[in-house]
Amino acid sequence: MRGRTPFAVLVVVLLAAGLLGLLALNTALNEGSFELSRLQKQTTVATDEQQGLQHQIDQSSAPDALARRAAEMGMVPAGGMAFLDVPNGGKVIGTPGPAQDSPPVKRSTVEPWPTKSSPGAQPGAAPDPQPSAPSPAATAGDSVVQINPASPAAPAPQPSGGAGR
């Protein structure tokens, strides 16, 4: 019996060490799997954000968007264009011309958002806009917007009696 005891202890120790080694390996693989899953989610979010930003860039750099933003900044389309043909002796191709601005669009005098009506006013009746003469700056090509405040509420009509104060 004495010869088998050390061998049995050695086998039990080797089996326990093998099981602990497998447990450590399995834990490391699971940690790697969780890390891989987290990184894949992070990559998906970053890819979606990148695609959204690229879509915004594409929309902002489209010709119609560029033309609209240029018009908002007061830029006008170029007039006649000319090109310099350097390889052929600096010949001018085309006829240069200044950019021409179109006349400003007339603004509507209708109030876009009706104000609250006074107690004596009829429902649905819009207040009368007070047209004003265009300022000299408006005729010079500058865009000027005149904001007319709502007219004050009219006093209630007095009953006409025979006697006055």
Side-chain angles (χ1 to χ4, degrees), residues 130-141:
Q130 299 172 356
S132 61
S135 64
T139 58

Side-chain angles (χ1 to χ4, degrees), residues 67-136:
R68 179 178 34 79
R69 282 190 294 152
E72 288 172 359
M73 290 191 293
M75 300 173 81
V76 295
M81 292 192 287
F83 300 95
L84 187 60
D85 190 11
V86 176
N88 294 328
K91 196 184 222 183
V92 177
I93 301 172
T95 312
Q100 297 295 324
D101 189 12
S102 61
V105 176
K106 299 289 184 190
R107 298 204 184 257
S108 173
T109 58
V110 177
E111 190 173 346
W113 297 280
T115 58
K116 292 181 181 178
S117 60
S118 61
Q122 296 176 359
D128 293 331
Q130 299 172 356
S132 61
S135 64

